Amino acid sequence: MNYYEYGDDKIDVLDRVLSLISTREYDDALECIDNLNSKEFSDPLLLMSKAQCLLRLNEKEEAYGIYKQAIELCDEKLKVKKDPFVLNIKGNCNLILKDYIKAIECYDEALDIDDKNSLAISFKAVALFRLDEQDAAFDCLERLLEIDSNNNDIKLFKVQYLNTIEKYE
């Protein structure tokens, strides 16, 4: 993760929350988030993390509302500075909400700032797949491999994609 604008204390909280999410301890992650004061909680990454936990706990309506709040918070931050990190968060929230066009717009904006932003490229590929834009999604995978040719996760994703469209040899 890119935490360049966060202080050490905020990084510790984010790392703790993300660690709990990665081990599927969603209730504990929510408790950790709920224990923060309101100033700390006005962070789009924390809001997105909270929504992710709620979604995993099958509280979809509340989760979707929080994803929308995270998008609004991203928009506020983006008025001050076009930040690829915030654009990726906004794109990811739109992706979860199945607003693929808006997600792709966010990733494209992030890529205008940093054309080697592998997160933006990979999630843009996902959005393109969901829109059934197979060729454009494949181009994203190729671009990812140009940036990081040794990344086995990207190679595996490409193989899975090719298997899905039945073009893997």
Side-chain angles (χ1 to χ4, degrees), residues 126-142:
V126 171
L128 289 165
F129 281 131
R130 302 272 168 80
L131 289 171
D132 204 27
E133 297 287 337
Q134 305 300 325
D135 291 339
F138 186 77
D139 290 344
C140 287
L141 293 178
E142 288 296 311

Side-chain angles (χ1 to χ4, degrees), residues 1 48 87-96 100 103-108 111 117-130 137 140-141 144 157:
M1 294 293 326
M48 187 176 75
L87 286 162
N88 282 341
I89 292 170
K90 182 179 177 184
N92 292 352
C93 290
N94 279 304
L95 187 65
I96 295 294
Y100 305 123
I104 291 168
E105 289 170 358
C106 292
Y107 302 132
D108 283 342
L111 291 166
N117 184 328
S118 58
L119 281 175
I121 297 168
S122 59
F123 284 113
K124 179 180 177 180
V126 171
L128 289 165
F129 281 131
R130 302 272 168 80
C140 287
L141 293 178
L144 279 170
F157 189 49

Side-chain angles (χ1 to χ4, degrees), residues 76-90:
E76 288 177 29
K77 289 186 173 284
L78 292 169
K79 285 178 188 174
V80 176
K81 178 183 174 194
K82 292 292 181 188
D83 182 342
F85 184 67
V86 175
L87 286 162
N88 282 341
I89 292 170
K90 182 179 177 184

Side-chain angles (χ1 to χ4, degrees), residues 2-55:
N2 182 2
Y3 299 135
Y4 60 87
E5 71 177 40
Y6 296 116
D8 289 340
D9 56 333
K10 199 167 206 177
I11 290 172
D12 291 342
V13 170
L14 286 167
D15 282 343
R16 174 83 177 127
V17 168
L18 296 175
S19 174
L20 290 167
I21 290 171
S22 71
T23 57
R24 299 178 183 194
E25 298 174 65
Y26 306 119
D27 288 320
D28 292 339
L30 285 171
E31 184 179 333
C32 186
I33 292 169
D34 289 340
N35 286 333
L36 298 172
N37 68 41
S38 60
K39 183 181 178 194
E40 290 173 309
F41 193 71
S42 66
D43 181 273
L45 182 57
L46 279 172
L47 276 174
M48 187 176 75
S49 299
K50 181 175 185 175
Q52 182 181 3
C53 291
L54 291 167
L55 194 59

Side-chain angles (χ1 to χ4, degrees), residues 144-157:
L144 279 170
L145 284 172
E146 287 173 16
I147 293 168
D148 189 1
S149 62
N150 294 323
N151 190 318
N152 289 328
D153 290 335
I154 298 169
K155 291 176 185 176
L156 180 61
F157 189 49

